[in-house]
Amino acid sequence: QVRLVESGGGLVQAGGSLRLACVASARTFSRFDMAWFRQAPGKEREFVSYIRYNGDTAYADSVKGRFTTSRENAKNTVDLQMSSLQPEDSAVYYCAARVQSTLPITRGYAYWGQGTQVTVSS
């Protein structure tokens, strides 16, 4: 069982920045692919970013160039640095984990955090 705990959400003005963090309890964290998803009220959960066990990254088109994900395997953490935030980025952000997989990067996540709220005011 893998436990994920997110932190770093909050209220920020449009154009501002936030850094989200996710700590995982997995003893073999380096073997996991990690991702961030988000869900706004009344909308489906959507993919935000992905970082493979080896550090390769991918992003949704809506956040490309503004968000950066990174991981530190020695600390079992994955971060999401968000800049140039806009009101449409407001959502609950979830950290997700899956064992190394060849599935599409938006699928196959067995482990999820409880989420952290990000609110961007205009």
Side-chain angles (χ1 to χ4, degrees):
Q1 188 70 15
V2 176
R3 184 165 179 255
L4 304 174
V5 179
E6 303 99 334
S7 62
L11 174 64
V12 64
Q13 288 189 332
S17 299
L18 278 176
R19 188 177 186 92
L20 305 183
C22 173
V23 180
S25 65
R27 288 189 294 176
T28 56
F29 178 74
S30 62
R31 296 176 54 194
F32 283 79
D33 297 334
M34 303 296 296
W36 289 93
F37 290 76
R38 66 187 181 186
Q39 187 167 21
K43 294 188 177 181
E44 291 189 354
R45 186 169 60 195
E46 65 173 357
F47 167 79
V48 175
S49 68
Y50 164 85
I51 185 163
R52 199 173 178 213
Y53 66 93
N54 65 355
D56 291 344
T57 58
Y59 299 91
D61 287 343
S62 59
V63 306
K64 204 172 292 184
R66 300 188 298 123
F67 290 12
T68 302
T69 191
S70 59
R71 66 190 295 162
E72 191 166 352
N73 288 339
K75 295 184 178 180
N76 280 21
T77 60
V78 60
D79 290 352
L80 183 67
Q81 176 66 46
M82 306 183 295
S83 58
S84 301
L85 284 162
Q86 299 301 317
E88 52 266 35
D89 294 315
S90 297
V92 177
Y93 282 70
Y94 296 92
C95 176
R98 69 181 192 186
V99 178
Q100 296 172 25
S101 173
T102 57
L103 287 173
I105 61 175
T106 59
R107 294 175 54 195
Y109 295 91
Y111 307 103
W112 294 82
Q114 82 289 349
T116 186
Q117 177 71 49
V118 171
T119 303
V120 184
S121 63
S122 57

